[in-house]
Amino acid sequence: KCMEGTREQLLQDLEKWTTSNEQNVAWISGIAGTGKSAVAVSLASRVRENLEGSVSLALTFHCVKGEETSKLSLLVPTICYYLAQICPAYGEILLDIFNRDPSL
C-alpha cells in the first residue's frame, strides 16, 4: 500500500474514476520502483472499503524482466482469460470468436 498521506490526489482521482462512466480501463505504467503496485493495491483497498458492491477490480498484472511475466506474447491471452473468468458474457463472446477463427 501507499504510505499514509502520500499519493492522495492520485488515489482520489482514481477512486472518482471507478464510479464514472467515461472509461472502463485504467492503465498505470512506469519504470520499476515508482509505486505502481502500491497505487493499485491502495486503490483496490479503497474500492473495497468505500464502494462495496458498486465496483469490481477486474485485473492487475505486472511484468518482471527475465521471468515468465515478461513474455508479451502471453499478456493478451492472460488478460482475456481472467476477464472471461469474472465476466462470463465476455467469455462466451470470446469463445465464439475463437470458434469462428481457429487461427486466433
Side-chain angles (χ1 to χ4, degrees):
K1 284 181 104 173
C2 296
M3 292 180 61
E4 192 171 328
T6 64
R7 297 188 180 99
E8 284 299 320
Q9 187 61 55
L10 174 62
L11 290 168
Q12 288 172 12
D13 291 346
L14 286 168
E15 191 171 356
K16 183 178 177 184
W17 163 81
T18 62
T19 58
S20 76
N21 292 323
E22 296 171 17
Q23 300 248 335
N24 295 325
V25 175
W27 186 276
I28 302 171
S29 63
I31 61 173
T34 57
K36 299 173 300 292
S37 295
V39 168
V41 169
S42 296
L43 177 61
S45 178
R46 284 179 176 224
V47 167
R48 278 193 301 274
E49 292 170 7
N50 302 332
L51 304 171
E52 188 175 327
S54 63
V55 173
S56 300
L57 178 63
L59 175 70
T60 64
F61 66 92
H62 69 281
C63 298
V64 178
K65 188 176 181 177
E67 293 186 18
E68 187 73 15
T69 58
S70 68
K71 293 184 180 177
L72 292 179
S73 63
L74 299 177
L75 181 60
V76 172
T78 300
I79 291 172
C80 290
Y81 171 80
Y82 283 104
L83 289 176
Q85 295 298 306
I86 63 160
C87 182
Y90 171 80
E92 291 172 19
I93 292 168
L94 196 59
L95 186 58
D96 183 54
I97 291 168
F98 289 150
N99 285 333
R100 283 188 278 132
D101 187 351
S103 69
L104 296 174

